[in-house]
Amino acid sequence: MAASGRGLSRALHSTPCPAWKRVQSGANGCLKPEYDAVVIGAGHNGLVAAAYLQRLGVNTAVFERRHVIGGAAVTEEIIPGFKFSRASYLLSLLRPQIYTDLELKKHGLKLHLRNPYSFTPMLEEGTLSKPPRSLLLGTDVAENQKQISQFSRKDAQAFPRYEEFMKRLVLAIDPLLDAAPVDIAALQHGSLLQRLRALSTLRPLLKAGRTLGAQLPQYYEVLTAPISKVLDQWFESEPLKATLATDAVIGAMTSPHTPGSGYVLLHHVMGSLEGMQGAWSYVQGGMGALSDAIASSATAHGASIFTEKTVAKVQVNSEGRVQGVVLQGGEEVRSRVVLSCASPQVTFLELTPQEWLPGAFVKRISQLDTQSPVTKINVAVDRLPNFQAAPNAPGDQPQAHHQCSIHLNCEDTLLLHQAFEDAKGGLPSQRPMIELCIPSSLDPTLAPTGCHVVSLFTQYTPYTLAGGKVWDEQKKNTYADKVFDCIEAYAPGFKRSVLGRDILTPQDLERIFGLPGGNIFHGAMSLDQLYFARPVPQHSDYRCPVQGLYLCGSGAHPGDFTVVVISWRRPLWQVGEAPIKSCPDSYTSALPAKLPGAPHPPLRQGGWQSVGQETSAATSCLLPPAVCVGATGSLGSCSRLWLLSVSPALSLSGGLLSRPLVPGGGVMGAAGRNAAHIVFRDLKNM
């Protein structure tokens, strides 16, 4: 039951004109021949970069190939009367600084916070007096324990301790999101001044080491062991373990039994919205309303955003420096810098002239792992799903569990592993893992009265089917029917309620949204593609081999990362290859007042506006081939030293840590923000 052709049309006539379009309908609506900066792609990171650059006085234009802005964070009326968050569908990981700096609330962003947030119904026989069991989790500790005690009293007592344990890891990682990775090249081979400047990037690592402290070995295990092993150490009940394990594999071609699959376990506590840690929300009007708010903030300060303007080529002059872009159709737009929100593959293999890129760089980009297990299905229904484990109330009004992420085929971690094994053999899962969300349960503006929009984030589905077969319409519909049969088992009558559906396999996600391989992170989250090595080693600071070209999308840091921080207890001079008895005072005094990625003061009358000096109790110095992240006490006999290994064997082997800490496709915006500040700094020094 695919949506009709008319339903798949843009249906722009029924969608109010967003504020950014009304602002731009004036002078900014005309394409100029030259800008200070051009951004390729109006995904959320590209819009964030444009908004920050324009606020800093950099005249910026954004070119988007589609008719709608937002990249994967879009709202589309693909079935008449039903507005879908067609790809990305939940908000949590948006950086708090972006929310505040860009005044998104002022620009129309409205959120519907979800509490409770997780619902896992059991597929078991109930009785006339007692329905099948279910697991409902929210922010109420006592209620969570009551829910978990249905399956295990021991687990109910352990769950609050588990949440505190995970929150501490979140606290350690959070500062690393808002700065460029440590500049290893500058630290090892740069001039003295470059080394001193690079030391500032070590501060977030120091903070992470202090937070983890003596519990580092336990956290190390979370990041390296199979998540099934980690959860087995905390809990005994399969419904709880499987529910938590979904956050460890969602969006990734991994099983709960895959070593290092614990990274996204932080998914449900990493975010923060309106001061609530771990909060997840629906955006009123769908995820496109978030993109519209960011765009409104950008255009309010003078940025120009153009849709249906496809960039065909990045222009490079005879000296190897960017000089603008060429649009499809041949129109040239000059600029001093170009930022690409497109994937690394599109940016460097399709848009950038190959003669200006080193062969080794091109080879590394072409070899990036982009496996994705995800098929997204958007469904219009004429009534709420009625789960046997939680029957609907009279009047069919939404209940607490309807606002949750509803986990189906998730009663046992073995089910998740079997679904993964099917896909590894080139077949869609027989019992797919399903995350079902009903955003219209909190936002009635998304569907006609009495009707609802349903988002199905399903896995595992391979990009290419066994035997080299591709996803045609018949195969897509066969898989969707299988998903609907699974839902029907939990909520009888679901299939009869369906009015239309939109099926997006990994190939569709690549074709429509430019996600390579259908990967929501622009690339797999393995150690060799994180932090120092995202997208490839030596180019993790958003800069590229072509001067003036920058990467600002999910393929850049922090499209998520893992670091190795070692707690050390011995005198400073015993660490490193050569004895070091002291550290020059200049190493500390030269640290800049602001971290890379932190808001810079605007340029006023040719000079910098004064800012307060930030100080640190830690002293940092360089120790080849390792970096001293920070030391407490005197340098001669520091009581504790945190060490970050920068050995290529450790950083790039992929053998120690194989997964990141948080999902990069979670509409974070940090890549765009960090890139914008790097660009502004470079423009200032030109």
Side-chain angles (χ1 to χ4, degrees), residues 26-193:
N28 286 345
C30 300
L31 179 62
K32 300 175 184 177
E34 185 170 357
Y35 297 87
D36 294 331
V38 161
V39 178
I40 301 173
H44 71 279
N45 272 304
L47 294 171
V48 166
Y52 273 98
L53 285 172
Q54 195 67 47
R55 282 171 169 263
L56 292 166
V58 180
N59 189 21
T60 304
V62 183
F63 296 112
E64 168 58 44
R65 68 177 176 86
R66 297 194 70 211
H67 64 281
V68 60
I69 66 167
V74 293
T75 301
E76 295 190 71
E77 192 173 334
I78 51 179
I79 296 169
F82 294 83
K83 299 185 178 78
F84 293 93
S85 294
R86 198 176 183 194
S88 176
Y89 56 100
L90 282 170
L91 181 65
S92 176
L93 299 176
L94 182 71
R95 304 303 295 155
Q97 302 94 321
I98 295 173
Y99 185 85
T100 302
D101 293 347
L102 302 188
E103 303 176 291
L104 297 185
K105 193 171 184 178
K106 169 186 170 183
H107 288 281
L109 181 62
K110 297 178 182 177
L111 306 178
H112 295 280
L113 298 177
R114 308 189 313 164
N115 184 34
Y117 54 76
S118 174
F119 176 63
T120 305
M122 301 295 107
L123 198 60
E124 61 186 16
E125 292 294 329
T127 65
L128 290 176
S129 60
K130 191 175 182 181
R133 293 175 299 170
S134 62
L135 178 62
L136 186 69
L137 300 176
T139 59
D140 188 310
V141 176
E143 184 58 31
N144 285 344
Q145 291 182 302
K146 179 181 177 182
Q147 288 282 322
I148 296 169
S149 65
Q150 298 176 86
F151 307 96
S152 168
R153 292 185 181 277
K154 177 183 174 183
D155 289 359
Q157 294 301 313
F159 190 68
R161 298 195 302 274
Y162 162 81
E163 292 225 302
E164 287 303 314
F165 178 82
M166 300 307 294
K167 285 178 182 178
R168 187 170 183 181
L169 183 52
V170 168
L171 201 62
I173 297 305
D174 195 67
L176 300 175
L177 303 179
D178 296 316
V182 175
D183 191 343
I184 298 300
L187 285 170
Q188 290 186 316
H189 308 296
S191 65
L192 178 60
L193 181 59

Side-chain angles (χ1 to χ4, degrees), residues 49 53 339 541-542 550-552 670-680:
L53 285 172
L339 295 83
D541 63 351
Y542 311 100
Y550 302 81
L551 199 64
C552 68
R673 177 178 178 270
N674 295 349
H677 288 297
I678 293 288
V679 169
F680 181 64

Side-chain angles (χ1 to χ4, degrees), residues 184 188-189 364 527-528 532-533 537-538 625-626 644-656:
I184 298 300
Q188 290 186 316
H189 308 296
R364 291 295 295 265
L527 181 63
D528 61 332
F532 303 113
Q538 306 302 322
L644 171 72
S645 172
V646 296
S647 163
L650 173 63
S651 299
L652 305 179
S653 68
L656 290 180

Side-chain angles (χ1 to χ4, degrees), residues 570-574 580-583 631-639:
R570 56 188 173 123
L572 176 63
W573 57 79
Q574 294 180 18
I580 296 180
K581 302 262 179 113
S582 64
C583 180
T632 58
S634 65
L635 277 175
S637 57
C638 62
S639 59

Side-chain angles (χ1 to χ4, degrees), residues 318-475:
S318 59
E319 297 177 353
R321 178 172 181 80
V322 159
Q323 62 180 22
V325 298
V326 179
L327 302 180
Q328 200 171 66
E331 190 170 9
E332 297 183 6
V333 180
R334 297 187 302 276
S335 65
R336 299 172 66 190
V337 295
V338 173
L339 295 83
S340 178
C341 188
S343 69
Q345 294 89 334
V346 169
T347 302
F348 302 118
L349 303 182
E350 298 180 21
L351 300 181
T352 306
Q354 298 297 283
E355 62 268 23
W356 294 108
L357 295 173
F361 176 84
V362 171
K363 184 177 181 180
R364 291 295 295 265
I365 294 294
S366 66
Q367 293 175 339
L368 291 176
D369 179 10
T370 59
Q371 288 188 90
S372 169
V374 175
T375 287
K376 175 80 187 298
I377 307 176
N378 299 297
V379 190
V381 297
D382 63 10
R383 75 201 77 153
L384 279 170
N386 189 11
F387 294 95
Q388 293 188 93
N392 287 358
D396 207 34
Q397 292 301 307
Q399 299 177 70
H401 66 277
H402 286 120
Q403 67 183 264
C404 297
S405 291
I406 301 171
H407 305 287
L408 305 180
N409 291 337
C410 298
E411 296 97 323
D412 193 304
T413 52
L414 181 59
L415 287 175
L416 306 182
H417 179 68
Q418 290 172 336
F420 166 77
E421 286 293 310
D422 291 340
K424 291 300 288 184
L427 301 174
S429 302
Q430 288 300 308
R431 287 191 64 183
M433 183 183 104
I434 303 169
E435 180 170 290
L436 184 155
C437 291
I438 313 171
S440 52
S441 63
L442 290 178
D443 179 10
T445 69
L446 299 175
T449 303
C451 296
H452 289 275
V453 295
V454 176
S455 168
L456 302 176
F457 195 85
T458 76
Q459 57 189 80
Y460 299 78
T461 51
Y463 182 89
T464 302
L465 298 171
K469 297 178 181 178
V470 297
W471 286 92
D472 56 25
E473 287 302 312
Q474 181 180 353
K475 291 182 179 64

Side-chain angles (χ1 to χ4, degrees), residues 287-307:
M287 291 297 289
L290 168 65
S291 300
D292 286 342
I294 300 171
S296 177
S297 178
T299 55
H301 286 80
S304 299
I305 301 173
F306 301 94
T307 55

Side-chain angles (χ1 to χ4, degrees), residues 251-273:
M253 188 63 87
T254 58
S255 157
H257 300 325
T258 302
S261 57
Y263 76 108
V264 192
L265 198 61
L266 302 179
H267 198 92
H268 70 293
V269 293
M270 187 71 196
S272 176
L273 289 172

